[in-house]
Amino acid sequence: MSEFAPRVFSGVQPTGNLHLGNYLGAIRKFVALQESHDCLYCVVDLHSITAQLVHEDLAGQTRSITAAFLAAGIDADKHIVFNQSRVPEHAELAWIFNCVARIGWMNRMTQFKDKAGKDRENASLGLLAYPSLMAADILLYRATHVPVGDDQKQHLELTRDIAQKFNNDFSAKIAALGLGVPMQVGEERVDGFFPLTEPLIEGPATRVMSLKDGTKKMSKSDPSDLSRINLTDDADQIARKIRKAKTDPNPLPETVEGLKGRPEAENLVGIFAALADRPRADVIAEYGGKPFSEFKPALADLAVSALAPVSTEMRRIESDPAEIDRVLAKGGERAREIALATMKDVKAIVGLL
Ligand code: TRP
């Protein structure tokens, strides 16, 4: 083999409703990457039981994320769409990675610290090992690129650390079995079994903030539904939420620099730019100096025209759960073929008969 073939993997947890932040920050990028890469898009149901074990309707949430993928334009025939628990090799490789990763690495993860809160002793062991399962998701397919929000950067670094330690610790065995793939690590050319996966974090709206507080991320767990635009909101709801979005009393600035220190203005301009697929400077050139009372209706129209077709299609797809299950079953089979081939090599490398 010469170099790792470019491959994209990403995962979304089936917890809560998808919102504009997930759409602009993740799903829309997943759609675009289909043109240039082989992609696997996974609903990571095993991750969703790390923070909270019992969910009211986990299966329904898994179907709903799948429906959002399909409605946004992910092609489940050309690429692979599936849910994680269908491919048992995710958990199998995660176990091996639990023995590669060090407890100290896990303890340093900011997401773990945030989610575990003050009472770390009482967090599930799965929550601590979450990044190891995430590394397994990615490396099971030897994915080279992972589109994620910037909050996942640290987990991607950890994925690289796990790949590198595995490659190093087993280098003799990998070479003996002829399973090494040449790759560049810093200045050096080395052979490794797992690639050092790169995050793909770009675009003007990687961080979509709350409509009620421009300093907080838009979140499915915010108690106020007015703080976010859900992918399932209809045209009236979208327009109403934008009308009620928090702003400051000044008109929009004449320059992009003028957005500094005005988080709400910056967020709304960022959302406009992302939805219109135009640079912020362009949006400012058009709306700079104008009051929010003029900008908001334009933003609402844009949001409705971009999102309403997705939410309509999502509702249509969700009305046929059996069809969603067929998509996931077929995607799972195709994913598993790749996963089994990787695990066969991993077992040979580790010495598991
Ligand atoms: N941790 C990711 C998030 O919370 C979800 C995830 C799990 C993921 N496995 C992944 C993302 C693999 C990218 C690749 O958003």
Side-chain angles (χ1 to χ4, degrees):
M1 229 197 277
S2 63
E3 303 275 332
F4 290 97
R7 180 178 274 159
V8 163
F9 182 99
S10 199
V12 174
Q13 285 199 45
T15 37
N17 286 332
L18 286 174
H19 54 68
L20 185 65
N22 307 120
Y23 180 68
L24 292 175
I27 297 179
R28 222 175 47 154
K29 288 187 199 151
F30 297 180
V31 175
L33 283 163
Q34 298 183 110
E35 298 298 319
S36 48
H37 288 76
D38 284 332
C39 306
L40 293 111
Y41 294 125
C42 183
V43 185
V44 290
D45 46 8
L46 294 174
H47 274 112
S48 67
I49 56 172
T50 57
Q52 180 193 329
L53 178 59
V54 182
H55 294 259
E56 208 178 284
D57 183 15
L58 183 58
Q61 290 290 348
T62 298
R63 291 190 186 101
S64 154
I65 303 288
T66 309
F69 282 177
L70 302 175
I74 290 172
D75 185 335
D77 293 320
K78 289 208 185 101
H79 300 272
I80 298 180
V81 174
F82 70 110
N83 62 302
Q84 189 185 30
S85 61
R86 226 173 253 277
V87 180
E89 288 71 25
H90 286 251
E92 194 178 12
L93 184 58
W95 178 257
I96 292 173
F97 286 173
N98 281 342
C99 303
V100 173
R102 312 285 93 185
I103 293 175
W105 301 2
M106 300 295 165
N107 272 326
R108 278 196 290 277
M109 293 292 111
T110 51
Q111 185 171 305
F112 173 66
K113 290 191 230 171
D114 286 352
K115 287 200 183 172
K118 284 208 177 64
D119 193 6
R120 265 203 228 178
E121 290 290 306
N122 199 33
S124 79
L125 196 49
L127 189 67
L128 181 64
Y130 177 118
S132 171
L133 178 60
M134 178 162 163
D137 297 340
I138 296 165
L139 295 175
L140 193 50
Y141 305 97
R142 299 207 270 178
T144 52
H145 296 91
V146 175
V148 277
D150 65 355
D151 62 323
Q152 294 298 310
K153 236 170 141 170
Q154 199 184 28
H155 286 159
L156 258 293
E157 277 157 23
L158 189 117
T159 300
R160 293 160 67 92
D161 291 342
I162 289 178
Q164 198 150 19
K165 183 162 164 58
F166 185 95
N167 289 346
N168 284 339
D169 290 1
F170 289 109
S171 62
K173 204 63 192 291
I174 292 168
L177 291 165
L179 291 172
V181 178
M183 59 178 171
Q184 194 75 28
V185 178
E187 303 282 277
E188 272 184 288
R189 285 302 277 181
V190 297
D191 278 359
F193 180 73
F194 287 120
L196 302 182
T197 309
E198 295 286 344
L200 295 172
I201 301 167
E202 59 208 272
T206 4
R207 265 181 109 79
V208 175
M209 311 308 277
S210 157
L211 296 179
K212 287 282 152 205
D213 177 351
T215 63
K216 276 198 337 211
K217 249 183 103 163
M218 188 175 281
S219 159
K220 45 195 162 199
S221 54
D222 193 310
S224 167
D225 195 54
L226 285 173
S227 72
R228 67 187 156 258
I229 294 175
N230 303 302
L231 230 46
T232 46
D233 285 346
D234 62 24
D236 285 347
Q237 285 167 308
I238 295 173
R240 180 165 162 268
K241 287 178 179 177
I242 291 178
R243 215 179 323 118
K244 291 190 168 264
K246 184 178 171 197
T247 53
D248 55 41
N250 299 317
L252 285 164
E254 308 272 357
T255 62
V256 175
E257 291 70 50
L259 290 169
K260 284 220 182 76
R262 297 180 61 186
E264 283 79 22
E266 182 166 22
N267 187 36
L268 294 182
V269 169
I271 292 173
F272 193 110
L275 284 171
D277 211 1
R278 284 165 58 184
R280 280 164 198 236
D282 228 46
V283 180
I284 290 293
E286 189 174 344
Y287 292 98
K290 302 213 166 121
F292 281 103
S293 58
E294 211 169 305
F295 180 65
K296 280 182 165 182
L299 177 58
D301 284 350
L302 178 62
V304 167
S305 67
L307 298 180
V310 179
S311 64
T312 308
E313 179 63 2
M314 190 170 156
R315 277 192 288 271
R316 188 191 66 79
I317 295 170
E318 279 190 306
S319 70
D320 188 357
E323 174 57 21
I324 298 176
D325 291 359
R326 275 193 292 278
V327 169
L328 291 173
K330 199 174 118 235
E333 269 175 42
R334 290 167 59 212
R336 190 146 196 230
E337 241 178 77
I338 308 171
L340 281 167
T342 305
M343 281 316 293
K344 183 167 163 279
D345 290 347
V346 168
K347 284 184 174 170
I349 292 166
V350 178
L352 301 168
L353 288 177

